Amino acid sequence: MEDAFRTNKEVIRYCTDHASFDRSRTLLAEAFNNQGVYWQELGERDSAIRVLKSSVDILQTARNRSILTSVYINLADCHLQKGDYPHCGFYYRKALSVSDSLGFGYRDHFAIYSGLAKLYLELGNFPEANEYFVKAEQIGNSCTPYERYFFSNTRGNYYYNTKEYEKALDWFRKADRITDAFPQPLYKAIVRGNLGEIFILIRQPDSARFYLDDARRLFGKAYEQPSFRYYMDGLYASLALLENDLSQAERLLSSAHDLNQVNPLYTYYNNRRMEELYYKKKDYRKAYEFKDKADMLNDSLRNMKVRNSLAEIDFRYRQDTTLLKMDIQLINTRDEMSRWKTIAYYCVLLLLLSLLASLCWILYRRRKHEKQYWIQMATMNRLRMAVVRNRISPHFIFNALNIILPTFRQYDGLDKPIRLLIKVLRGNLFFSEQIAVPLKDEIQLVKEYLQLRLLGNPDRIRIIWELPPEIPDTWKIPSMSVQIPVENAVKYAFDPENEEACIHIRIIEKQGSLFIAIEDNGVGLAADMQNRQEEQGTGYGLKILRQTIDILNSRNKNKMNFIIQDRSLLEPGGHGTLVSLVVPLDYTFDL
């Protein structure tokens, strides 16, 4: 790919220097078309669209326009991959019109019809998608192997969406046979993943596992891309649910993923899987929560499809109207053309007025329901936050008293410990009532807690602070988000005989976010959880902290990230636990 791209740039440079020759302009347009394909393969679709439009501009004035249909098809494919369905349909129809006008017959029609079928499948317009599938099937002998693969895989997806799984299986198998001759394993990996999903749906777990494992192998390094990994983890979770391996399903579905890089449709499927998981575990409350999430996401996807369908219809209408005007201009006189233009104008105006009135009514009803919904959500979130916060204070007071009571027996002078205890309790009680606190106040509370906790043996754990020179009052974090991980590290991370116990707290600000890391060199995450069970620790503080962050993230576009990792998995020879918190500086803590 890199060599082809480099050679193609040499062609572009040569043709640009000799642009006065018609053959050079035609070759330059072809080189731009090739460059657009390269950018498309690399996922740089905006760059691809830019150079493909340059190719179109050159071909408009060139004598030889034979590749113009191909350029329009590539433009349509780019817009389809971007989810810009109106422009996708526009360019496919431009390709169809140019192909007919250049007299190429059905040479490019198979690719165009297959692309339009894919477009209407994405829009959920199954009757129109099937109409184009049938048209493509009638001229399937004139296509390339890749076009046959694209058609077979897309046809399989059509029957998957219409729940005709046996027909979907037949088409995916056809696509699988076609990819045997492909040098790139990625295409076969995609088809094998589709086959695995179909076998899950028809309840054949052994076949499903075979195809999913083979797809994972074929994806290679691409498997670690967030979108591929999330998609495959979801399929493996469905397989685990089919086999009633609930622990495996929960592990896969609970894995951390960056949802910004994931197709929202896959998120909807995973919420459905979580609903099924908790239903099987008889945790009906959680099952209902995930059902509610899935329904909300499904409504959002459905609304998006409706908007895209309306936009595509509008684009198609304008495109068809343009062709109609051209036909009228060729056939009728100027007066007749003027009359038709007037009729078309009033029809469009009436249609737009009707659409505008309908849209205003829909927006009014939607805004009314959204306002009522957010009022209810705000009330519910305040109640949930009140419950969460009220649980922290008694838990902390109980622990603090267990710490200070032995001190009464060991020291004659009780003034300093008692003062410190009162100070820590006062700070904790205040923090437990707050959703967010200034970072500098949280740091002060943690320092006072550590002084209290290590009062009897201050050298038992070495504390390293790595802080910015100045901490503005505007830097805020969720209250107790540093205190709880530090407290857990002190209580559970170290064996009594560990003489090099160390807790390293780092806080830096970069790229508009606060990066907070609490790192210890203790026994590690797995042993740490064992220590909690032996000491009958509930781990409730971390549960509360996660719940708090989930509630706050639901009201923010830029999400807060909270991750706990075992250091042995991050670096060779490492041990201990790393707790990371990333808080955007523009984060809002209002409910």
Side-chain angles (χ1 to χ4, degrees):
M1 181 71 76
E2 289 81 8
D3 291 340
F5 189 80
R6 192 160 44 247
T7 304
N8 196 67
K9 287 181 69 175
E10 292 293 324
V11 175
I12 292 173
R13 186 178 298 110
Y14 176 85
C15 291
T16 303
D17 293 340
H18 300 79
S20 59
F21 301 100
D22 185 76
R23 172 61 183 146
S24 294
R25 290 198 301 274
T26 303
L27 187 58
L28 179 61
E30 188 171 349
F32 277 139
N33 185 41
N34 293 337
Q35 193 176 48
V37 174
Y38 300 146
W39 285 125
Q40 186 179 359
E41 286 288 326
L42 294 173
E44 299 290 340
R45 298 183 183 93
D46 290 331
S47 298
I49 290 171
R50 178 175 53 81
V51 295
L52 288 170
K53 285 184 176 179
S54 298
S55 179
V56 171
D57 293 340
I58 295 170
L59 289 170
Q60 297 293 355
T61 59
R63 294 180 183 176
N64 186 350
R65 304 170 63 199
S66 59
I67 67 164
L68 184 58
T69 303
S70 176
V71 178
Y72 278 138
I73 292 173
N74 290 332
L75 275 167
D77 289 343
C78 286
H79 285 290
L80 180 62
Q81 292 167 8
K82 284 184 64 177
D84 186 352
Y85 301 125
H87 281 94
C88 171
F90 171 79
Y91 282 113
Y92 273 132
R93 288 187 172 82
K94 288 280 285 185
L96 194 61
S97 174
V98 169
S99 178
D100 291 339
S101 66
L102 293 177
F104 293 148
Y106 288 95
R107 192 184 74 180
D108 298 306
H109 283 196
F110 182 86
I112 298 170
Y113 290 151
S114 297
L116 286 167
K118 172 75 170 175
L119 166 65
Y120 288 109
L121 177 59
E122 293 287 336
L123 291 171
N125 187 343
F126 299 135
E128 192 138 8
N130 187 61
E131 180 180 335
Y132 282 108
F133 276 126
V134 171
K135 286 183 177 180
E137 287 175 6
Q138 292 172 352
I139 53 174
N141 294 329
S142 62
C143 61
T144 66
Y146 176 78
E147 289 171 342
R148 285 201 302 273
Y149 154 77
F150 177 87
F151 177 85
S152 300
N153 194 56
T154 307
R155 192 56 155 155
N157 283 323
Y158 168 84
Y159 285 118
Y160 164 80
N161 281 280
T162 58
K163 296 183 170 46
E164 299 174 79
Y165 299 131
E166 292 298 332
K167 291 182 178 179
L169 196 61
D170 290 339
W171 281 103
F172 285 141
R173 281 173 170 158
K174 288 180 183 178
D176 187 50
R177 288 192 295 271
I178 293 169
T179 58
D180 288 339
F182 285 10
Q184 306 95 334
L186 182 62
Y187 299 112
K188 182 171 282 293
I190 293 171
V191 176
R192 296 254 155 158
N194 290 339
L195 283 166
E197 186 170 6
I198 293 297
F199 279 115
I200 291 171
L201 293 170
I202 62 177
R203 310 186 70 80
Q204 295 184 24
D206 292 338
S207 297
R209 184 172 299 281
F210 168 80
Y211 283 106
L212 292 181
D213 288 345
D214 200 42
R216 180 174 182 174
R217 176 185 64 82
L218 291 167
F219 274 128
K221 292 182 179 180
Y223 186 80
E224 297 306 320
Q225 293 181 10
S227 57
F228 283 133
R229 187 61 180 267
Y230 190 80
Y231 166 70
M232 291 298 295
D233 280 357
L235 294 183
Y236 274 114
S238 290
L239 178 58
L241 288 171
L242 179 61
E243 296 174 334
N244 284 320
D245 187 352
L246 301 187
S247 60
Q248 172 72 353
E250 186 170 19
R251 184 186 69 78
L252 290 167
L253 293 172
S254 301
S255 299
H257 292 278
D258 183 2
L259 298 183
N260 292 324
Q261 302 184 49
V262 172
N263 189 325
L265 184 62
Y266 296 157
T267 306
Y268 162 76
Y269 288 143
N270 269 19
N271 282 327
R272 285 299 187 196
R273 291 170 181 131
M274 290 293 278
E275 176 192 351
E276 182 182 354
L277 169 67
Y278 284 111
Y279 184 84
K280 287 189 173 186
K281 293 178 70 173
K282 301 189 185 305
D283 188 344
Y284 300 115
R285 182 181 64 82
K286 282 192 175 181
Y288 179 79
E289 288 178 1
F290 281 103
K291 178 183 182 302
D292 193 46
K293 287 182 180 179
D295 289 342
M296 289 178 61
L297 189 56
N298 190 37
D299 289 341
S300 176
L301 292 170
R302 189 181 296 113
N303 290 336
M304 187 181 301
K305 281 188 177 181
V306 170
R307 289 195 298 270
N308 284 327
S309 295
L310 289 174
E312 193 277 331
I313 290 171
D314 181 60
F315 255 67
R316 190 183 353 162
Y317 175 81
R318 281 185 282 168
Q319 196 172 6
D320 292 344
T321 302
T322 302
L323 295 174
L324 178 62
K325 290 176 181 177
M326 292 174 61
D327 292 339
I328 294 173
Q329 188 176 14
L330 293 172
I331 299 173
N332 297 332
T333 64
R334 183 175 299 178
D335 293 336
E336 289 174 334
M337 182 186 69
S338 176
R339 178 171 59 87
W340 280 108
K341 285 176 65 176
T342 303
I343 293 173
Y345 171 79
Y346 282 112
C347 288
V348 171
L349 182 62
L350 181 62
L351 177 62
L352 290 176
L353 288 174
S354 301
L355 287 173
L356 182 62
S358 301
L359 184 61
C360 290
W361 172 249
I362 292 170
L363 288 175
Y364 169 76
R365 296 286 297 176
R366 184 176 178 182
R367 289 291 297 274
K368 183 177 179 181
H369 286 122
E370 283 182 349
K371 185 177 179 181
Q372 183 179 6
Y373 169 78
W374 285 116
I375 291 173
Q376 293 172 348
M377 283 295 295
T379 303
M380 185 171 66
N381 283 339
R382 289 192 191 97
L383 293 174
R384 290 173 65 189
M385 192 63 74
V387 172
V388 167
R389 289 297 173 191
N390 287 336
R391 291 174 178 171
I392 293 179
S393 179
H395 175 70
F396 181 81
I397 293 172
F398 177 77
N399 287 337
L401 288 176
N402 275 309
I403 294 167
I404 201 64
L405 285 176
T407 307
F408 291 155
R409 296 191 293 270
Q410 296 175 10
Y411 294 90
D412 295 331
L414 300 178
D415 181 63
K416 181 179 177 180
I418 291 176
R419 285 176 180 272
L420 189 57
L421 172 63
I422 293 172
K423 195 172 183 179
V424 172
L425 289 178
R426 184 184 296 116
N428 178 258
L429 287 169
F430 173 77
F431 277 33
S432 68
E433 296 175 355
Q434 307 300 311
I435 296 173
V437 296
L439 175 60
K440 61 168 57 177
D441 294 346
E442 176 83 6
I443 291 172
Q444 184 61 32
L445 174 66
V446 174
K447 288 181 176 180
E448 291 168 353
Y449 164 77
L450 288 170
Q451 187 179 358
L452 174 66
R453 187 66 174 86
L454 302 175
L455 196 60
N457 187 3
D459 297 326
R460 185 173 72 85
I461 301 175
R462 184 161 63 100
I463 308 297
I464 300 175
W465 288 91
E466 188 177 328
L467 304 174
E470 293 185 7
I471 300 178
D473 293 335
T474 56
W475 288 5
K476 290 189 175 184
I477 62 173
S479 62
M480 312 297 284
S481 56
V482 177
Q483 161 68 27
I484 291 173
V486 170
E487 180 181 351
N488 284 339
V490 172
K491 290 171 61 179
Y492 305 116
F494 305 107
D495 294 329
E497 61 272 11
N498 190 339
E499 297 180 356
E500 298 181 356
C502 177
I503 298 176
H504 189 175
I505 303 165
R506 298 192 306 275
I507 301 176
I508 60 174
E509 182 269 328
K510 65 178 182 179
Q511 298 178 350
S513 296
L514 285 174
F515 291 80
I516 302 172
I518 299 103
E519 187 174 16
D520 66 68
N521 61 348
V523 295
L525 189 59
D528 177 60
M529 297 302 296
Q530 180 65 29
N531 291 342
R532 292 168 186 257
Q533 294 176 2
E534 291 176 355
E535 297 184 22
Q536 297 182 347
T538 63
Y540 202 68
L542 285 175
K543 293 179 183 177
I544 291 170
L545 184 56
R546 288 185 186 278
Q547 190 177 7
T548 301
I549 292 173
D550 287 343
I551 294 172
L552 291 171
N553 276 343
S554 67
R555 302 304 304 276
N556 281 270
K557 182 179 179 180
N558 295 327
K559 308 300 182 185
M560 204 182 327
N561 288 325
F562 180 73
I563 303 173
I564 303 175
Q565 299 169 290
D566 196 311
R567 289 181 59 198
S568 65
L569 302 177
L570 300 177
E571 54 188 88
H575 60 89
T577 303
L578 173 62
V579 180
S580 305
L581 176 67
V582 181
V583 184
L585 290 178
D586 59 354
Y587 201 83
T588 176
F589 293 91
D590 299 328
L591 292 178

